[in-house]
Amino acid sequence: MWFWRNLHRQGPVRVITIATQKGGTGKSTLAVNLAAGLALEGHRTLLIDADPQANSTYVLTGDQLLQPSLYEVMVTNSATLPEVAVSCRLALDLCPSNILLSAADIVLSSVPGRERILSRKLRALTGYDFVIIDTPPSLGILTVNALVASGEVLVPVGMSTFALIGLGLLEDTINQIKENLDIENLHILGAVGTFHDRTNVARNTMAALEERFGSILFKTMIPRTVKLEEANNRLKTIYEYEPNGAGAQAFQALVQEVMTHGQE
Ligand SMILES: Nc1ncnc2c1ncn2[C@@H]1O[C@H](COP(=O)(O)OP(=O)(O)OP(=O)(O)O)[C@@H](O)[C@H]1O
Ligand SMILES: [Mg+2]
């Protein structure tokens, strides 16, 4: 059903933005390993790094100053997504970020229709089953462009005392974007618990998350494990770094959940 429903859509079949306003919740780690996991399942996947910090770009390529990048696509309008996309792994391409993108908010502030630049670029894109977008921990023009261009938002929630604040803010923002820009088909695909461990704080945060967002909470939780930190540090996906460890198993389960959510 899902396949036929999407067959005649313009652009890639599913566009998923990873976003929260809170920093350090595991967005980039999630973006890299979700995109890599989907590619390992045989889905042609493009990871767009829309964060000027270029963390996903760095993990996948070892370089954070690649040019051309999303800057040329969105800000100078001098390149298309296929022109800047680099092949990183089998079935996995990356549209790199660059620190230049940190000027986007100022440079684009007077451009009419600036919230829809990425959406327009994605509509012309073919050949991908999934596009995953990594965003900065703020709601500037880059995150708004990612949300407007997406059908779905995946929200990582770190197990910390202040975790739920970012989630509430993001929900408000999505509703505002839907109202102000007249976009109906954007929805929260789900919240994913990250940095999960056996502490009381994690238990309390999960309980609060289940109470407030139970219906959209993914069954899979990403464990806090130094192997994920090390994989990022060694410029590897978790499947390459420790394929049988808890981190890889959690990400494989999450990939399956993301794939089945889309078929409902
Ligand atoms: N499950 C995990 N267990 C242990 N360390 C992790 C885990 N996930 C991410 N990390 C590490 O925690 C730090 C923050 O993760 P990450 O960069 O993915 O978060 P982020 O939300 O993208 O941050 P930012 O808001 O700055 O973009 C990184 O050093 C990363 O390697
Ligand atoms: Mg990040």
Side-chain angles (χ1 to χ4, degrees), residues 22-30 51 53 55 134-137 194-196 222-226 228-229 232:
K22 192 162 163 40
T25 54
K27 287 180 293 300
S28 300
T29 305
L30 180 57
D51 182 355
Q53 295 180 98
N55 293 154
D134 186 17
T135 60
T194 57
F195 293 92
H196 190 259
I222 306 300
R224 181 189 294 276
T225 157
V226 73
L228 278 164
E229 173 82 62
N232 287 338

Side-chain angles (χ1 to χ4, degrees), residues 17-20 30 153-157 166-167 170 174 188-193:
T17 286
I18 317 285
T20 54
L30 180 57
V153 191
L154 187 51
V155 185
V157 184
L167 191 52
L170 188 75
I174 289 173
I188 297 194
L189 171 65
V192 186

Side-chain angles (χ1 to χ4, degrees), residues 93-114:
D93 290 354
L94 168 81
C95 169
S97 175
N98 186 297
I99 189 70
L100 291 169
L101 267 176
S102 53
D105 275 286
I106 294 171
V107 179
L108 295 175
S109 66
S110 57
V111 174
R114 61 188 172 279

